[in-house]
């Protein structure tokens, strides 16, 4: 969301002499605005949080603690020194699920020109991305001997798809040499923050220290309540136990808390995701006996259905003795004379 003032400079008709053009260009360049100063507010003085439950979660369903679907209205009070002229105010420690277009800042002498949610959070991938082309120290530990050695290196590419560094020995992929590799940075790249930041551009007519109130909507909250009623004669004592859920990494210590029931009419806004949050180290292994085999596909076999039925028990087999063999015929007698 950008709201501001537009101004422009023009040069008259093209028939002006060249000398006149040169004399006009010099003062215009001298009046270019100076870079805006940056002022950081590390933490608020007081916080109030109003939670709205997940609109589509039934009363019988528990809160999704991994991904709360409700939201909250966060109101912070901060004390900040505003310089004269254009400046960028950085409000650190806001909720990670902040909706930047909903932010309202009261108390700035110069009003609000522009609001941005800084999505570049400090992470291993953000460090690599912010140090591309710059020198770092490559630290390696031999797994067998435990010897640690450091050498200068330049990050050539990364962080998605692997990190490639260039050393005195050549270009190589980080984490693919069989050693325990790590990178050592001299400083944190500009623009990275360990906590979510809301940046506000303002233009103050004078230098002042003011108290501002920052209000914004943020996703990742939810709440539920359990009620216990005790009947005492003709009176009912009602006790409520409220459970609050905060899915953001930031906490709100000593905050004033309110909860609101009901389903409010609110349009869905996509959450701003942090840029370059995951560091990927990919190494391609050497070939094996199963490398580059042609994929083969087989048709699915037809279904085979087996059916069965109980068979009747056959009658028992009775074994009988074999009949006796017939007697052998008598041999003829031969008489000698």
């Amino acid at each position: 969301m950008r709201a501001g003032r537009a101004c422009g400079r023009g040069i008259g008709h093209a028939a002006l002499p060249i000398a006149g053009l040169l004399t006009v260009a010099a003062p215009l360049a001298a009046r270019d605005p100076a870079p805006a100063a940056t002022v950081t507010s590390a933490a608020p003085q007081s916080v109030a949080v109003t939670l709205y439950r997940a609109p589509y979660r039934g009363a019988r369903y528990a809160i999704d603690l991994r991904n709360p679907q409700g939201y909250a209205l966060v109101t912070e009070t901060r004390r900040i020194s505003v310089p004269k002229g254009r400046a960028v105010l950085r409000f650190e420690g806001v909720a990670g699920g902040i909706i930047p277009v909903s932010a309202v800042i009261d108390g700035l002498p110069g009003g609000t020109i522009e609001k941005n949610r800084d999505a570049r959070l400090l992470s291993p991938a953000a460090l690599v991305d912010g140090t591309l082309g710059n020198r770092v120290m490559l630290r390696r530990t031999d797994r067998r001997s435990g010897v640690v050695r450091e050498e200068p290196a330049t990050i050539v590419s990364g962080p998605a798809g692997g990190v490639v560094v260039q050393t005195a020995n050549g270009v190589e992929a980080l984490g693919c040499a069989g050693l325990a590799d790590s990178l050592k940075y001299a400083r944190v790249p500009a623009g990275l923050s360990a906590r979510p930041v809301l940046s506000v551009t303002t233009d103050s007519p004078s230098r002042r220290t003011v108290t501002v109130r920052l209000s914004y909507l943020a996703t990742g909250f939810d709440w539920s309540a359990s009620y216990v009623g005790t009947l005492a004669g003709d009176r009912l004592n009602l006790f409520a136990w409220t459970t609050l859920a905060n899915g953001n990494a930031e906490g709100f210590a000593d905050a004033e808390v309110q909860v609101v029931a009901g389903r409010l009419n609110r349009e869905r806004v996509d959450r701003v995701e942090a840029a370059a949050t995951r560091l990927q180290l990919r190494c391609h292994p050497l070939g094996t006996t199963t490398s580059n085999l042609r994929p083969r596909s087989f048709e699915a076999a037809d279904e085979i259905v087996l059916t069965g039925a109980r068979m009747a028990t056959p009658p028992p087999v009775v074994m009988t003795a074999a009949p006796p063999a017939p007697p052998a015929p008598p041999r003829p007698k031969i008489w000698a004379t």
Side-chain angles (χ1 to χ4, degrees):
M1 174 179 178
R2 296 176 181 265
R5 298 168 295 184
C7 61
R9 301 185 181 97
I11 299 177
H13 197 270
L16 289 175
I18 297 179
L21 291 177
L22 294 178
T23 57
V24 173
L28 289 179
R31 291 198 300 267
D32 286 344
T38 302
V39 180
T40 301
S41 173
Q45 293 179 323
S46 62
V47 183
V49 183
T50 302
L51 283 82
Y52 300 86
R53 69 190 308 272
Y56 301 104
R57 179 175 59 84
R60 298 183 179 181
Y61 294 91
I63 297 176
D64 186 359
L65 298 179
R66 295 184 177 181
N67 186 22
Q69 296 297 315
Y71 59 99
L73 173 63
V74 182
T75 302
E76 303 178 354
T77 302
R78 298 182 182 237
R79 190 75 174 170
I80 189 169
S81 297
V82 182
K84 181 180 178 180
R86 182 167 294 229
V88 177
L89 310 180
R90 302 178 73 253
F91 297 95
E92 293 186 347
V94 296
I98 183 175
I99 303 174
V101 295
S102 68
V104 177
I105 302 100
D106 296 328
L108 289 177
T112 301
I113 299 176
E114 182 178 339
K115 296 175 294 185
N116 291 304
R117 158 71 161 86
D118 296 343
R120 291 176 56 83
L121 294 180
L122 187 61
S123 66
L127 282 174
V128 172
D129 186 61
T131 322
L132 288 178
N134 296 329
R135 282 206 164 191
V136 295
M137 293 301 297
L138 178 60
R139 185 174 184 178
R140 286 180 164 172
T141 305
D142 193 293
R143 299 182 185 275
R144 295 183 178 180
S145 62
V147 177
V148 179
R149 59 184 178 90
E150 294 183 354
E151 58 179 317
T154 302
I155 300 180
V156 179
S157 72
V163 179
V164 178
V165 296
Q166 183 175 8
T167 64
N169 297 325
V171 179
E172 57 181 295
L174 185 67
C176 300
L179 304 175
D181 299 340
S182 62
L183 297 178
K184 187 177 179 180
Y185 303 86
R187 64 184 63 87
V188 177
L192 292 184
S193 176
R195 299 186 298 169
V197 177
L198 176 69
S199 297
V200 177
T201 304
T202 185
D203 194 350
S204 178
S206 61
R207 179 181 180 88
R208 297 175 56 183
T209 299
V210 295
T211 300
V212 298
R213 186 178 66 178
L214 169 63
S215 301
Y216 59 88
L217 293 176
T219 59
F221 294 87
D222 204 352
W223 71 273
S224 64
S226 301
Y227 302 93
V228 178
T230 304
L231 186 61
D234 58 348
R235 303 183 63 179
L236 178 64
N237 299 324
L238 190 62
F239 174 79
W241 180 272
T242 305
T243 302
L244 310 178
N246 177 15
N248 296 269
E250 299 72 32
F252 302 90
D254 301 328
E256 298 181 4
V257 180
Q258 292 181 337
V259 295
V260 177
R263 181 180 299 175
L264 301 181
N265 184 15
R266 172 178 172 267
E267 294 185 1
R268 181 177 179 85
V269 178
D270 294 335
R271 182 172 179 174
V272 179
E273 299 294 340
T277 56
R278 297 185 60 186
L279 180 63
Q280 302 178 8
L281 301 178
R282 298 180 181 178
C283 301
H284 297 279
L286 297 177
T288 62
T289 55
T290 58
S291 300
N292 301 325
L293 292 181
R294 177 182 295 181
R296 301 183 62 184
S297 60
F298 300 90
E299 296 183 359
D302 296 335
E303 295 183 356
I304 301 176
V305 180
L306 300 179
T307 59
R310 184 183 296 274
M311 299 179 60
T313 305
V317 179
V318 179
M319 303 296 295
T320 57
R331 292 183 177 182
K333 296 180 178 180
I334 301 175
W335 301 91
T337 57

